[in-house]
């Protein structure tokens, strides 16, 4: 009897996987498909959908939610407040990479003193244009600026990447290397990690699908060390752990945040 139950369970596992792949189709799944590269994930975007984020139609998708403070923002706010207080003399330059239309600036400003912060958002052209227009309409001065060319970003003491790394189209070490100078502090949030090899999947957002990278945890931590940064703090965002609907056998990802400080010689 026990042997029969074991055989049934063994047979049921691939059946559950097949069922997930058949019924959790891209129109309904949050994450679907598993691909070895970003390019192969993009090639799998359905013909009826937009591919990637670089479209005007994506500016307003989930904008209200992104403009609010959510529980996973508080560790970032804690460390940002400490850093800004430690730099009370003069201006602090912050680069908000993937900062949409300045949503974090707007969300954090009522609770943090940003009066001596030059906050620059680096984004795709549709978001950068919309953010600049919104800032002008709201009377927000030059302390909030936007740029869609990494080569034109200003030297920043603090780099903020909140939810960027899943969608970044180049390796993170390459991104940091292209900045005018290495930031003294890097604040990362909502970094998708997994045990094992890096996997790309597709995430649905409004009218578009975009590649979503779940990095190898071991390799990513090694990259941070190679970059010359110490991990001062790290936090786990349990609510943002994900399972790829079409590939449950790959297990669950974890979502982490990091406070990184550049090593001194």
């Amino acid at each position: 009897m026990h042997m029969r139950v074991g055989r049934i369970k063994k047979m049921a596992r691939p059946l559950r996987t097949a069922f997930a792949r058949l019924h959790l189709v891209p129109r309904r799944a949050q994450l679907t498909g598993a691909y070895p590269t970003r390019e192969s994930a993009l090639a799998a975007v359905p013909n009826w959908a937009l591919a990637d984020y670089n479209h005007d139609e994506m500016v307003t998708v989930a904008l209200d939610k992104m403009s609010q403070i959510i529980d996973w923002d508080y560790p970032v706010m804690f460390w940002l407040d400490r850093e800004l207080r430690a730099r009370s003399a003069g201006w602090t330059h912050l680069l908000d990479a993937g900062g949409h239309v300045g949503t974090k600036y707007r969300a954090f400003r009522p609770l943090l003193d940003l009066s001596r912060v030059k906050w620059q958002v680096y984004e795709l052209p549709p978001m950068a244009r919309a953010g600049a227009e919104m800032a002008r309409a709201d009377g927000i001065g030059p302390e909030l600026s936007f740029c869609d060319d990494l080569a034109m970003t200003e030297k920043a003491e603090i780099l903020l990447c909140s939810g960027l790394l899943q969608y970044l189209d180049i390796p993170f070490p390459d991104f940091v290397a292209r900045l005018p100078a290495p930031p003294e502090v890097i604040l990362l949030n909502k970094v998708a990690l997994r045990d094992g090899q890096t996997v790309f999947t597709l995430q649905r957002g409004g009218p578009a699908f975009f590649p979503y990278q779940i990095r190898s945890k071991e390799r990513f931590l090694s990259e941070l060390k190679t970059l010359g940064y110490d991990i001062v703090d790290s936090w786990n965002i349990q609510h943002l752990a994900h399972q790829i609907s079409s590939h449950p056998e790959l297990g669950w990802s974890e979502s982490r945040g990091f406070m990184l400080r550049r090593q001194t010689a």
Side-chain angles (χ1 to χ4, degrees), residues 28-89:
R28 301 178 61 186
Q30 183 183 16
L31 295 177
T32 186
Y35 310 92
T37 64
R38 190 176 191 276
E39 291 72 24
S40 57
L42 269 176
V45 173
N47 293 331
W48 50 264
L50 296 175
D52 221 337
Y53 254 112
N54 199 8
H55 304 278
D56 290 325
E57 295 88 336
M58 296 302 298
V59 171
T60 58
V61 173
L63 180 57
D64 289 341
K65 181 178 180 180
M66 287 189 289
S67 300
Q68 301 172 6
I69 294 176
I70 306 176
D71 52 1
W72 54 72
D73 288 321
Y74 283 99
V76 171
M77 294 175 62
F78 170 82
W79 282 110
L80 182 56
D81 182 58
R82 285 175 63 103
E83 287 300 311
L84 295 180
R85 289 176 184 274
R87 304 162 189 270
S88 56

Side-chain angles (χ1 to χ4, degrees), residues 101-102 105-106 109 119 131-146:
V101 294
Y105 176 84
R106 292 170 177 273
R109 189 166 58 158
W119 190 296
E133 291 171 5
M134 290 173 62
R136 283 194 296 268
D138 294 339
I140 300 177
E143 64 271 16
L144 175 63
S145 62
F146 294 83

Side-chain angles (χ1 to χ4, degrees), residues 172-173 176 182-186 220-232 260-265:
F172 184 60
V176 175
E184 298 170 15
V185 167
I186 299 178
F220 180 68
L221 295 178
S222 176
E223 287 178 347
L224 295 182
K225 186 177 295 185
T226 302
L227 273 172
Y229 286 83
D230 292 323
I231 299 176
V232 178
L260 309 175
R261 191 178 304 281
R262 193 179 179 209
Q263 298 168 356
T264 55

Side-chain angles (χ1 to χ4, degrees), residues 202-218:
L202 287 174
Q203 184 181 39
R204 175 76 183 272
F209 283 91
F210 23 87
Y212 184 101
Q213 183 176 182
I214 305 176
R215 286 173 165 79
S216 162
K217 183 177 181 179
E218 181 181 5

Side-chain angles (χ1 to χ4, degrees), residues 165-168 170 192-193 198-201 211-215:
L165 267 65
Q166 297 93 295
Y167 313 109
L168 192 62
I170 60 174
L193 302 171
T198 294
V199 173
F200 290 83
T201 183
Y212 184 101
Q213 183 176 182
I214 305 176
R215 286 173 165 79

Side-chain angles (χ1 to χ4, degrees), residues 107-255:
F108 293 174
R109 189 166 58 158
L111 297 180
L112 297 180
D113 181 7
L114 303 180
S115 60
R116 303 295 295 174
V117 177
K118 296 286 188 181
W119 190 296
Q120 184 178 39
V121 174
Y122 166 69
E123 255 294 0
L124 295 168
M127 286 69 178
R129 286 194 301 268
E133 291 171 5
M134 290 173 62
R136 283 194 296 268
D138 294 339
I140 300 177
E143 64 271 16
L144 175 63
S145 62
F146 294 83
C147 180
D148 61 14
D149 184 352
L150 196 58
M152 299 300 293
T153 56
E154 299 177 3
K155 178 182 177 181
E157 292 84 32
I158 300 174
L159 171 63
L160 171 62
C161 301
S162 183
L164 169 70
L165 267 65
Q166 297 93 295
Y167 313 109
L168 192 62
D169 58 357
I170 60 174
F172 184 60
D174 292 353
F175 178 85
V176 175
R178 294 184 188 183
L179 298 176
E184 298 170 15
V185 167
I186 299 178
L187 288 168
L188 305 177
N189 212 18
K190 300 184 287 183
V191 183
L193 302 171
R194 68 184 300 268
D195 294 325
Q197 296 296 316
T198 294
V199 173
F200 290 83
T201 183
L202 287 174
Q203 184 181 39
R204 175 76 183 272
F209 283 91
F210 23 87
Y212 184 101
Q213 183 176 182
I214 305 176
R215 286 173 165 79
S216 162
K217 183 177 181 179
E218 181 181 5
R219 181 173 180 180
F220 180 68
L221 295 178
S222 176
E223 287 178 347
L224 295 182
K225 186 177 295 185
T226 302
L227 273 172
Y229 286 83
D230 292 323
I231 299 176
V232 178
D233 190 16
S234 179
W235 51 94
N236 185 25
I237 309 171
Q238 295 182 352
H239 179 67
L240 295 182
H242 291 301
Q243 186 181 54
I244 300 175
S245 302
S246 58
H247 290 72
E249 74 278 8
L250 293 178
W252 288 82
S253 69
E254 63 175 303
S255 182

